[in-house]
Amino acid sequence: MSTVHLTSSDGTFNFTQSDDDYSILQAALRNQLPFPYECNAGGCGSCRFIPMSGEYETLMDSPPGLSKRDIRKGMQLACQTRATSNMELKVRADEECRPSIVPRLRTATLESCQTITHDIVAIGLRTATAAQFLPGQYAILTNGEGVRRCYSMSNTPNEDGAWEFQIKRVPGGAFSDGILDPIVGDSYTIDGPYGMAFLRTDSNRDILCVAGGSGLSPMVSIIRGVAAEMRDSSPQVHLFYGGRTPRDVAGNKLTELLGLDSLDRLCVTSVISEPEDATSLGWDGEIGFVHESVERNFSVSVTDMEIYFAGPPAMTEALQRLLMIDLQVPFDQIHFDRFF
Ligand SMILES: Cc1cc2nc3c(=O)[nH]c(=O)nc-3n(C[C@H](O)[C@H](O)[C@H](O)COP(=O)(O)OP(=O)(O)OC[C@H]3O[C@@H](n4cnc5c(N)ncnc54)[C@H](O)[C@@H]3O)c2cc1C
Ligand code: FES
C-alpha cells in the first residue's frame, strides 16, 4: 500500500494506492479525485503527470500516449504507472473526470453470447452486485489469462448485475482473437465504470450517434438509455454506423439484431467504405466514410444536437475535425471515446 501526495492547480490531495489498484490512475479515481484521463490504455496521453519524489514502476513499454517531448520533461502516464513507495506527483486536475460513480472491481461470469456480425460478438456477464454505470461508459475486463482491455457496455445500468459488451475480433489480438467462441461459465474481472462520453439526460436536444467498427457498443447503450430514461422528453436519435463492407454492418438487419427495431424515434444509417461487390450483395445504402455521410446528411443542423461517437482513432479524429472546426459545434455538445 502506498500513499500518493498529489498537487494540482486545484490544491493538494493525499490518497492510498492499495494492492488491488492496477495503477495510480485507478487509485485516484477510486478515491473520487478529478484525475485527468480518457482511454485507460496508454494511448491518449490525458493522464500525464510529473513524478516529484518516490519510487514507481511502469506497466507498458513505450506507451503511444507519451511523446518524445513528454519523455524529455520526465512525464509518466498514470494509467500505466504504479507507485512502489510513497510518492509525490504533480498533475493538471480536470473536474469533468471526477467520477460520479466510483469505479469498483467485480468478479463476473460469462452467461451468454450472440453473433452481431461476422467478427462482432455480444457477450453477457453477470456480477453478484448491481451493474452501476451511465449509458455510454466503459469498463476494463480482465480474462482468465490476465489480459486486460477496455470494453464499452452496450446495455443500461441495472440491479440484476447484467453487463453486456460487444467485442470485435482483432486477428492476433491477445483478448479478442478468441472472442468468437466464448465459453459460458468463464470468469472475468470487471473494473469500472470509466469514461466521460455518457448520455446527458439533462439535455433535450436531438441526438446524433456515430460509430465505426467496434464503436457500436456504447452507441447502443446510449440509444437504450434514451429509451429507458428519457421517455417523457424522447428526442429524435440518429445512428450512423460505418464499416468496410455490408457484412461489417450486418447488412440491413442491424436494428433487428440489436433489438432496437421497436424504437420509433430512431433513424439508422449504415455506411460502407469499400463498395466492391456491394451491389451483388444487395447493398442499397450509403457509400463512403461515416463522417462524410454525417456531413452529407446534416451539415450545419448538427450544431444544435447532442453528439456521441466512438471507434478507431482515424474515424474519431475525422469527426472531431468536421464537428469542432468545420461545423463549429460547441465543445460541450460533443462526447466521444477513441478506441486505442
Ligand atoms: C475506452 C475504450 C473502449 C473500448 N471499447 C471497445 C468495445 O466496446 N468493443 C471493442 O471491440 N473494442 C473496444 N476497445 C478496444 C479494445 O480495448 C482492444 O484494444 C481491442 O479489443 C484489441 O485488443 P486485443 O487484446 O484483442 O488486441 P491486442 O493484443 O491489443 O492487439 C491489437 C493489434 O496489435 C496487433 N499486435 C499485437 N501484438 C503485436 C506485436 N507484438 N507486433 C505487432 N502487432 C501486434 C494485433 O495483431 C492487433 O492487430 C476499446 C478501447 C478503449 C480505449
Ligand atoms: S488515460 Fe492514460 S493514456 Fe489515456
Side-chain angles (χ1 to χ4, degrees):
M1 202 174 271
S2 306
T3 300
V4 182
H5 181 81
L6 182 154
T7 310
S8 78
S9 50
D10 284 8
T12 58
F13 309 92
N14 284 322
F15 62 94
T16 304
Q17 178 199 277
S18 76
D19 294 346
D20 283 348
D21 292 322
Y22 178 78
S23 67
I24 292 174
L25 178 65
Q26 256 74 55
L29 296 176
R30 273 197 244 295
N31 283 278
Q32 247 182 325
L33 295 179
F35 206 106
Y37 79 103
E38 184 193 319
C39 72
N40 247 305
C44 70
S46 307
C47 64
R48 281 170 304 181
F49 71 91
I50 301 181
M52 307 301 284
S53 70
E55 306 291 319
Y56 57 88
E57 60 178 334
T58 52
L59 306 168
M60 185 188 231
D61 294 334
S62 313
L66 272 186
S67 67
K68 285 190 180 139
R69 191 158 172 262
D70 297 331
I71 295 167
R72 274 200 304 277
K73 286 175 154 178
M75 291 183 138
Q76 293 293 345
L77 297 178
C79 70
Q80 303 301 328
T81 307
R82 254 188 84 76
T84 53
S85 74
N86 291 347
M87 259 191 97
E88 278 183 81
L89 55 89
K90 208 170 169 183
V91 74
R92 189 175 302 199
D94 181 350
E95 201 48 51
E96 206 203 335
C97 296
R98 191 191 290 278
S100 59
I101 303 175
V102 176
R104 284 182 43 204
L105 275 174
R106 298 168 172 85
T107 306
T109 307
L110 193 131
E111 277 196 347
S112 64
C113 41
Q114 182 208 346
T115 302
I116 303 288
T117 70
H118 67 104
D119 64 355
I120 298 183
V121 71
I123 61 167
L125 299 177
R126 178 80 59 182
T127 54
T129 52
Q132 291 174 314
F133 60 89
L134 302 171
Q137 286 193 300
Y138 70 92
I140 304 173
L141 298 188
T142 306
N143 67 13
E145 281 86 53
V147 183
R148 199 172 181 275
R149 294 286 184 273
C150 302
Y151 292 104
S152 309
M153 283 66 82
S154 60
N155 61 332
T156 50
N158 59 85
E159 291 299 316
D160 308 330
W163 303 72
E164 289 170 24
F165 301 89
Q166 293 173 357
I167 301 185
K168 184 178 169 70
R169 176 178 171 252
V170 176
F175 194 106
S176 68
D177 197 14
I179 205 67
L180 296 187
D181 298 306
I183 298 171
V184 171
D186 271 3
S187 203
Y188 289 79
T189 303
I190 297 179
D191 178 3
Y194 294 103
M196 270 66 69
F198 53 82
L199 174 65
R200 272 44 180 193
T201 47
D202 55 356
S203 157
N204 56 10
R205 294 189 182 93
D206 285 346
I207 292 177
L208 170 62
C209 293
V210 189
S214 52
L216 187 60
S217 196
M219 298 304 115
V220 173
S221 176
I222 283 170
I223 294 166
R224 289 176 173 159
V226 172
E229 295 178 31
M230 298 175 75
R231 277 204 192 94
D232 297 341
S233 43
S234 173
Q236 176 77 48
V237 182
H238 298 267
L239 168 66
F240 282 75
Y241 183 44
R244 283 185 294 135
T245 66
R247 69 183 197 138
D248 290 325
V249 295
N252 301 320
K253 290 197 170 152
L254 191 66
T255 42
E256 189 187 318
L257 279 167
L258 298 172
L260 301 175
D261 41 352
S262 60
L263 301 185
D264 54 355
R265 288 180 62 79
L266 172 68
C267 173
V268 178
T269 306
S270 297
V271 193
I272 57 161
S273 58
E274 291 178 7
E276 300 83 17
D277 300 332
T279 318
S280 60
L281 291 168
W283 182 256
D284 58 0
E286 292 255 331
I287 289 173
F289 289 112
V290 70
H291 69 279
E292 295 168 342
S293 179
V294 170
E295 190 174 13
R296 262 197 307 277
N297 284 280
F298 284 105
S299 96
V300 289
S301 64
V302 292
T303 49
D304 199 31
M305 296 179 94
E306 209 67 42
I307 304 173
Y308 303 88
F309 53 96
M315 180 212 105
T316 54
E317 277 152 28
L319 267 170
Q320 269 178 280
R321 269 196 306 276
L322 172 71
L323 298 170
M324 293 177 178
I325 299 169
D326 300 347
L327 301 177
Q328 301 272 302
V329 179
F331 285 4
D332 61 357
Q333 286 166 228
I334 301 177
H335 320 282
F336 62 95
D337 271 326
R338 293 177 282 177
F339 287 6
F340 291 98

